[in-house]
mmCIF file with all atom_site columns, all heavy atoms in Angstrom:
data_model
loop_
_atom_site.group_PDB
_atom_site.id
_atom_site.type_symbol
_atom_site.label_atom_id
_atom_site.label_alt_id
_atom_site.label_comp_id
_atom_site.label_asym_id
_atom_site.label_entity_id
_atom_site.label_seq_id
_atom_site.pdbx_PDB_ins_code
_atom_site.Cartn_x
_atom_site.Cartn_y
_atom_site.Cartn_z
_atom_site.occupancy
_atom_site.B_iso_or_equiv
_atom_site.pdbx_formal_charge
_atom_site.auth_seq_id
_atom_site.auth_comp_id
_atom_site.auth_asym_id
_atom_site.auth_atom_id
_atom_site.pdbx_PDB_model_num
ATOM 1  N N   . VAL Q 1 21  ? -42.107 -8.598  105.900 1.00 0.00 ? 238 VAL Q N   1
ATOM 2  C CA  . VAL Q 1 21  ? -42.721 -7.629  104.951 1.00 0.00 ? 238 VAL Q CA  1
ATOM 3  C C   . VAL Q 1 21  ? -42.829 -8.332  103.607 1.00 0.00 ? 238 VAL Q C   1
ATOM 4  O O   . VAL Q 1 21  ? -41.978 -9.034  103.158 1.00 0.00 ? 238 VAL Q O   1
ATOM 5  C CB  . VAL Q 1 21  ? -41.796 -6.371  104.868 1.00 0.00 ? 238 VAL Q CB  1
ATOM 6  C CG1 . VAL Q 1 21  ? -42.116 -5.562  103.628 1.00 0.00 ? 238 VAL Q CG1 1
ATOM 7  C CG2 . VAL Q 1 21  ? -41.939 -5.478  106.082 1.00 0.00 ? 238 VAL Q CG2 1
ATOM 8  N N   . LEU Q 1 124 ? -36.404 1.995   105.653 1.00 0.00 ? 341 LEU Q N   1
ATOM 9  C CA  . LEU Q 1 124 ? -37.788 1.659   105.978 1.00 0.00 ? 341 LEU Q CA  1
ATOM 10 C C   . LEU Q 1 124 ? -37.825 0.325   106.723 1.00 0.00 ? 341 LEU Q C   1
ATOM 11 O O   . LEU Q 1 124 ? -38.492 0.189   107.787 1.00 0.00 ? 341 LEU Q O   1
ATOM 12 C CB  . LEU Q 1 124 ? -38.678 1.565   104.757 1.00 0.00 ? 341 LEU Q CB  1
ATOM 13 C CG  . LEU Q 1 124 ? -39.068 2.836   104.035 1.00 0.00 ? 341 LEU Q CG  1
ATOM 14 C CD1 . LEU Q 1 124 ? -39.836 2.537   102.767 1.00 0.00 ? 341 LEU Q CD1 1
ATOM 15 C CD2 . LEU Q 1 124 ? -39.908 3.706   104.901 1.00 0.00 ? 341 LEU Q CD2 1
ATOM 16 N N   . TRP Q 1 179 ? -31.422 -20.946 91.542  1.00 0.00 ? 396 TRP Q N   1
ATOM 17 C CA  . TRP Q 1 179 ? -30.200 -20.239 91.952  1.00 0.00 ? 396 TRP Q CA  1
ATOM 18 C C   . TRP Q 1 179 ? -30.424 -19.512 93.324  1.00 0.00 ? 396 TRP Q C   1
ATOM 19 O O   . TRP Q 1 179 ? -29.617 -19.566 94.205  1.00 0.00 ? 396 TRP Q O   1
ATOM 20 C CB  . TRP Q 1 179 ? -29.754 -19.247 90.901  1.00 0.00 ? 396 TRP Q CB  1
ATOM 21 C CG  . TRP Q 1 179 ? -28.485 -18.590 91.269  1.00 0.00 ? 396 TRP Q CG  1
ATOM 22 C CD1 . TRP Q 1 179 ? -27.209 -19.084 91.081  1.00 0.00 ? 396 TRP Q CD1 1
ATOM 23 C CD2 . TRP Q 1 179 ? -28.334 -17.350 91.965  1.00 0.00 ? 396 TRP Q CD2 1
ATOM 24 N NE1 . TRP Q 1 179 ? -26.300 -18.192 91.604  1.00 0.00 ? 396 TRP Q NE1 1
ATOM 25 C CE2 . TRP Q 1 179 ? -26.943 -17.127 92.171  1.00 0.00 ? 396 TRP Q CE2 1
ATOM 26 C CE3 . TRP Q 1 179 ? -29.231 -16.406 92.467  1.00 0.00 ? 396 TRP Q CE3 1
ATOM 27 C CZ2 . TRP Q 1 179 ? -26.440 -16.003 92.810  1.00 0.00 ? 396 TRP Q CZ2 1
ATOM 28 C CZ3 . TRP Q 1 179 ? -28.716 -15.295 93.102  1.00 0.00 ? 396 TRP Q CZ3 1
ATOM 29 C CH2 . TRP Q 1 179 ? -27.354 -15.095 93.261  1.00 0.00 ? 396 TRP Q CH2 1
ATOM 30 N N   . LYS Q 1 185 ? -30.151 -19.025 99.981  1.00 0.00 ? 402 LYS Q N   1
ATOM 31 C CA  . LYS Q 1 185 ? -30.862 -19.760 101.054 1.00 0.00 ? 402 LYS Q CA  1
ATOM 32 C C   . LYS Q 1 185 ? -32.315 -19.341 101.140 1.00 0.00 ? 402 LYS Q C   1
ATOM 33 O O   . LYS Q 1 185 ? -32.894 -19.392 102.186 1.00 0.00 ? 402 LYS Q O   1
ATOM 34 C CB  . LYS Q 1 185 ? -30.178 -19.596 102.419 1.00 0.00 ? 402 LYS Q CB  1
ATOM 35 C CG  . LYS Q 1 185 ? -28.686 -19.786 102.381 1.00 0.00 ? 402 LYS Q CG  1
ATOM 36 C CD  . LYS Q 1 185 ? -28.267 -21.171 101.918 1.00 0.00 ? 402 LYS Q CD  1
ATOM 37 C CE  . LYS Q 1 185 ? -26.752 -21.351 102.002 1.00 0.00 ? 402 LYS Q CE  1
ATOM 38 N NZ  . LYS Q 1 185 ? -26.111 -21.682 100.753 1.00 0.00 ? 402 LYS Q NZ  1
ATOM 39 N N   . ARG Q 1 188 ? -38.400 -21.535 98.866  1.00 0.00 ? 405 ARG Q N   1
ATOM 40 C CA  . ARG Q 1 188 ? -39.259 -21.481 97.693  1.00 0.00 ? 405 ARG Q CA  1
ATOM 41 C C   . ARG Q 1 188 ? -40.355 -22.521 97.887  1.00 0.00 ? 405 ARG Q C   1
ATOM 42 O O   . ARG Q 1 188 ? -40.105 -23.677 97.974  1.00 0.00 ? 405 ARG Q O   1
ATOM 43 C CB  . ARG Q 1 188 ? -38.485 -21.562 96.385  1.00 0.00 ? 405 ARG Q CB  1
ATOM 44 C CG  . ARG Q 1 188 ? -37.795 -22.906 96.148  1.00 0.00 ? 405 ARG Q CG  1
ATOM 45 C CD  . ARG Q 1 188 ? -37.187 -22.947 94.772  1.00 0.00 ? 405 ARG Q CD  1
ATOM 46 N NE  . ARG Q 1 188 ? -38.195 -23.217 93.743  1.00 0.00 ? 405 ARG Q NE  1
ATOM 47 C CZ  . ARG Q 1 188 ? -37.919 -23.770 92.576  1.00 0.00 ? 405 ARG Q CZ  1
ATOM 48 N NH1 . ARG Q 1 188 ? -36.698 -24.133 92.267  1.00 0.00 ? 405 ARG Q NH1 1
ATOM 49 N NH2 . ARG Q 1 188 ? -38.844 -23.945 91.724  1.00 0.00 ? 405 ARG Q NH2 1
#
Side-chain angles (χ1 to χ4, degrees):
V238 163
L341 288 173
W396 184 85
K402 313 300 184 239
R405 64 174 283 204

